Every structure is written in C-alpha cells, then in structure tokens.
Amino acid sequence: MDEHKICFIMCVNDDAYAKEAVWYIRHLKLPDGYHIEWQCVKGAMSMAAGYNEAMKKSNARYKVYLHQDVMILETAFIENLLHIFRDPKVGMQENFPGMENCMRHSA
C-alpha cells in the first residue's frame, strides 16, 4: 500500500464530464510527498461493481469515490482530507464538514 497516494475513482459513461472532473483533480494542491492517480471505469455492470474493480487495482492508501459529473472546486481538498484522516478513529468519510459548497455538480 502506498501511504502517500490518493486515488480518485469514477464510473464513466460520459467522457466530457470525466475529462472535466479529471481537470479539476489535476489542479488540486498536493502536499509534499503525496501523489495522485485517477481511474475511470467504463462499462461496469453497476456503479458498485465499477468502484470495486478500480479499488482492487489501486494501491493508494486513500480512495475518493466520485461521480463523473462532480467537480472538486476546493483546491485544498486533499489537505482537508488528510487532516480528517489523521484521527485514527476515522476510517471512512462520506461528507467532508465545511466542504458543502466546494464541489459543483454539472447539470
């Protein structure tokens, strides 16, 4: 497991949305020593199956499951994520407190 890797996972059926989402991911501030990857899964039987497929392919310590049409606007997203996971009692986080207005859903 790579303790300094963050993997963004998306099930994709619209390449334009996915391309835009990846653009925002690539522009996030990245703390020193950390790196990112993204996996766009196409043709999955279901979103859960696609997420599971990508999860198994990544050795990243942190995985962010993202709908293809959600754009991360908060450039400090990764720093905020790492701050939350410093607490050893936290193993999974569905929503990030204070981040409600930091993502945009494309409609």
Side-chain angles (χ1 to χ4, degrees):
M1 179 177 301
D2 188 335
E3 297 289 329
H4 293 95
K5 184 190 283 186
I6 299 103
C7 179
F8 292 84
I9 299 172
M10 290 181 279
C11 289
V12 174
N13 64 5
D14 185 313
D15 289 333
Y17 277 146
K19 183 178 179 180
E20 185 178 3
V22 168
W23 186 91
Y24 281 97
I25 291 167
R26 293 183 69 183
H27 287 84
L28 297 174
K29 292 178 188 171
L30 200 55
D32 289 340
Y34 283 85
H35 51 281
I36 60 170
E37 70 176 1
W38 53 88
Q39 295 196 27
C40 297
V41 180
K42 295 183 178 183
M45 296 282 289
S46 68
M47 194 175 304
Y51 285 164
N52 198 37
E53 174 187 330
M55 175 189 70
K56 290 177 182 177
K57 289 181 182 177
S58 177
N59 69 340
R61 169 76 169 102
Y62 304 97
K63 295 176 177 75
V64 178
Y65 300 90
L66 192 63
H67 202 268
Q68 68 185 5
D69 60 353
V70 173
M71 311 308 156
I72 302 173
L73 304 177
E74 174 55 63
T75 59
F77 177 83
I78 293 173
E79 293 167 337
N80 295 338
L81 174 134
L82 294 173
H83 177 75
I84 289 169
F85 284 101
R86 280 191 198 123
D87 182 344
K89 293 181 245 165
V90 176
M92 183 170 142
Q93 184 75 27
E94 181 178 354
N95 296 312
F96 293 92
M99 299 284 289
E100 297 83 4
N101 298 315
C102 298
M103 296 186 183
R104 176 175 59 85
H105 182 273
S106 295

